[in-house]
Amino acid sequence: MKLWGGRFEEGPSEVFERFSGSLHFDRRLIHVDIRGSQAFARALESVGILTAAERAELVAAFDKIAGEALQPEFFEGAHDEDVHTLVIRKLRDKVGALSEKIHTGRSRNEQVSLDMRLWLRGEIDRSLELLAGVMQALLDCALRDPSAIVPGYTHLRRAQPVLWTHFLLAYFEMFTRDHERLTQARARVNVLPLGSGALAGSGFPFDRGAMARDLGFAAITRNSMDVSADRDFALDFVFAAGTTMLHLSRLAEDWILYSSEEFGWLELGDGVTSGSSLMPQKKNPDSLELIRGKAGRVFGDLSALFMTLKGLPMTYNRDMQEDKEPLFDAADQLNGSLEMAAAVVATAKLNAERPARAIEESWVVATDLAEALARAGTPFHQAHQIAGRLVLESVRTGKKPSDWTAESLRAFAPEFTAGCAAVLKPEEGMKTREIPGGTGPDHVKAALDDAQARLKQLRR
Ligand code: ARG
């Protein structure tokens, strides 16, 4: 069955049908397509195209099709051009001639936009929930080791001591912004395109506001040509998915490193790691590597969508059918990765003694020491020099920060005061960073409380 054909003397060639068909991927829109058509049947009743009895018959037939579509054999042998065509063919099988009225004053150009918006709205709701799950897992992870201290890195070199919670909350902030971006994308998705016709507006006086309410949309689109041409809402989502994947991939990379034998900070759960077919001792972080890998794939989806839309003349062009696979893929990879990341974080154990040893063996307290000197009156450039010389001397003689006492420090340089010696202990030095956003323990504690309250708010 075709939704067109009167103007043609010959049917489409086999190669063209095979080449242009989209059912094998747009079939996942079937339930939203049906939901949209049921709302459209109600709209057709309100403009007098359908009687109440006809509308009821159509809506009931759509319900049956939706039920049948849950069975895998439903799509077997279907060669329809797209999901919209398939649904109407199934409708004709059920209600016969009455099915001929359902597409009155409607175009597939608006229908496909409607379907994508309905589908994407549901996906984003799922993404938001899964993202909140990752954020919760990070907070739970922080609560398991509230006083653990780790070296923070720049250039992947030990830089300054920070609370483990502070590190975890950095990711919490990234995911908070991702949550905002997804919510903003949802708002652009949540606008009703129906009533736009092919490009010029429907020829029937539908109450578009009523249709929007029926389908749970917050607003209606303002320009019918824009509707046929626009896929910004999909771009917005894939971009938001992309930044979330970016952050997930950086978390993955950190945790791959931190769970390596070289770092030894984290023990990943057995359930999220895999072994080697040859090397019996291996416990590989495949879940995290796959998250990192899938991030690249989602960035590819964003590029693909941009490339598809670039330079298209107004309004709809069949090129736009190529929007669906990258969109679907981005949503699948995002939601799959979020679910996986939450499980990895939830089952990871911090071995706090290893990062503590890394701190002890390195000179991550050097900045605290230089700043203590500055606080005691030494100009910072000199303080930096003195602390640097102390590190050099320690490296030469194999001394750790804890090998220095107040007396030996003063003997090294008279600028050192008793207060300076105190910051050789990282937990003391960290107390000087009691500033909003810093790793001072009181502020971190408050930040953790605040994060918990914000997450609760987000989950409402
Ligand atoms: N399968 C088409 C798509 O995804 C639906 C819209 C068809 N419209 C048309 N004018 N051929 O874009």
Side-chain angles (χ1 to χ4, degrees):
M1 191 197 102
K2 288 260 161 293
L3 297 177
W4 43 269
R7 186 242 175 273
F8 293 82
E9 291 178 4
E10 283 174 31
S13 65
E14 187 274 330
V15 59
F16 174 64
E17 285 210 303
R18 208 164 13 90
F19 181 70
S20 62
S22 56
L23 186 61
H24 59 287
F25 56 82
D26 66 18
R27 52 186 268 180
R28 68 195 285 172
L29 296 174
I30 190 157
H31 291 285
V32 289
D33 191 77
I34 288 172
R35 208 177 137 199
S37 287
Q38 289 178 317
F40 193 61
R42 289 187 279 274
L44 286 174
E45 180 192 352
S46 69
V47 296
I49 294 289
L50 294 175
T51 66
E54 286 173 332
R55 182 262 306 145
E57 191 180 343
L58 285 176
V59 169
F62 277 128
D63 276 337
K64 278 213 195 85
I65 298 169
E68 289 164 13
L70 297 172
Q71 305 307 318
E73 58 274 14
F74 178 82
F75 292 98
E76 257 168 38
H79 295 296
D80 307 270
E81 183 183 321
D82 54 26
V83 67
H84 324 293
T85 311
L86 168 92
V87 169
I88 291 188
R89 175 169 64 80
K90 295 280 182 179
L91 188 69
R92 195 187 55 185
D93 294 347
K94 298 230 175 307
V95 302
L98 177 59
S99 69
E100 311 262 315
K101 285 191 176 182
I102 188 65
H103 213 54
T104 312
R106 183 175 72 167
S107 160
R108 275 183 297 163
N109 297 350
E110 56 181 334
Q111 195 179 355
V112 76
S113 169
L114 173 69
D115 289 7
M116 287 168 75
R117 287 168 186 270
L118 282 172
W119 176 85
L120 191 50
R121 194 173 66 184
E123 287 300 300
I124 295 175
D125 287 342
R126 174 121 181 88
S127 305
L128 288 170
E129 197 181 304
L130 291 169
L131 182 56
V134 174
M135 293 164 82
Q136 184 66 61
L138 286 170
L139 298 185
D140 294 345
C141 187
L143 289 168
R144 286 197 291 275
D145 296 281
S147 54
I149 303 175
V150 300
Y153 293 81
T154 61
H155 313 270
L156 200 55
R157 301 291 186 272
R158 292 171 190 165
Q160 288 185 273
V162 291
L163 281 166
W164 173 236
T165 301
H166 197 55
F167 166 83
L168 294 172
L169 286 178
Y171 278 99
F172 185 90
E173 291 306 320
M174 297 177 217
F175 292 134
T176 301
R177 293 193 297 276
D178 293 326
H179 199 282
E180 278 169 21
R181 271 184 284 268
L182 285 166
T183 304
Q184 287 158 0
R186 190 191 190 283
R188 293 219 183 80
V189 167
N190 198 25
V191 182
L192 174 93
L194 211 54
S196 300
L199 76 159
S202 180
F204 296 79
F206 297 119
D207 178 346
R208 298 190 63 213
M211 290 199 282
R213 284 190 293 282
D214 190 343
L215 290 166
F217 285 104
I220 63 171
T221 54
R222 290 196 169 90
N223 182 294
S224 59
M225 294 184 80
D226 181 37
V227 164
S228 296
D230 165 43
R231 292 292 181 269
D232 297 7
F233 67 88
L235 283 169
D236 279 342
F237 166 72
V238 182
F239 179 76
T243 61
T244 311
M245 289 302 299
L246 175 73
H247 295 144
L248 284 173
S249 82
R250 295 186 73 170
L251 179 72
E253 171 64 12
D254 275 344
W255 285 39
I256 289 167
L257 281 174
Y258 297 169
S259 61
S260 67
E261 288 95 335
E262 278 68 20
F263 276 79
W265 301 8
L266 284 171
E267 181 68 26
L268 301 177
D270 281 1
V272 298
T273 47
S274 54
S276 157
S277 62
L278 179 64
M279 300 166 281
Q281 85 286 9
K282 291 295 288 286
K283 184 175 172 187
N284 294 326
D286 297 35
S287 50
L288 293 168
E289 291 167 316
L290 281 166
I291 290 172
R292 194 176 55 186
K294 285 168 189 294
R297 195 169 150 172
V298 173
F299 307 155
D301 293 329
L302 182 61
S303 299
L305 204 51
F306 268 123
M307 297 306 162
T308 297
L309 298 169
K310 177 189 173 295
L312 289 185
M314 287 287 269
T315 53
Y316 177 84
N317 300 269
R318 192 65 178 269
D319 315 43
M320 291 165 78
Q321 181 168 292
E322 296 296 318
D323 59 4
K324 274 164 225 63
E325 286 168 293
L327 176 67
F328 295 165
D329 187 63
D332 290 346
Q333 302 319 319
L334 173 66
N335 288 347
S337 300
L338 286 170
E339 201 182 349
M340 189 70 257
V344 174
V345 175
T347 56
K349 287 199 179 67
L350 180 72
N351 175 12
E353 178 261 331
R354 285 289 293 268
R357 202 190 315 154
I359 286 173
E360 168 71 10
E361 286 168 357
S362 57
W363 274 88
V364 290
V365 295
T367 307
D368 293 346
L369 198 61
E371 290 183 352
L373 280 169
R375 236 173 265 119
T378 308
F380 185 73
H381 278 305
Q382 282 175 39
H384 191 289
Q385 281 289 324
I386 295 168
R389 280 196 285 109
L390 184 80
V391 172
L392 183 62
E393 169 71 8
S394 302
V395 170
R396 272 194 196 132
T397 56
K399 274 188 173 150
K400 301 190 294 279
S402 60
D403 294 329
W404 291 92
T405 62
E407 294 71 45
S408 58
L409 275 185
R410 189 176 277 282
F412 183 82
E415 290 86 348
F416 281 117
T417 63
C420 293
V423 301
L424 289 170
K425 286 198 175 73
E427 54 283 3
E428 288 305 311
M430 251 178 342
K431 289 183 189 159
T432 64
R433 304 193 185 283
E434 286 295 0
I435 184 164
T439 195
D442 291 346
H443 276 83
V444 170
K445 166 95 186 47
L448 183 56
D449 291 347
D450 179 58
Q452 273 170 315
R454 280 154 57 208
L455 181 56
K456 211 182 245 171
Q457 195 65 34
L458 284 186
R459 287 189 127 161
R460 285 238 176 89

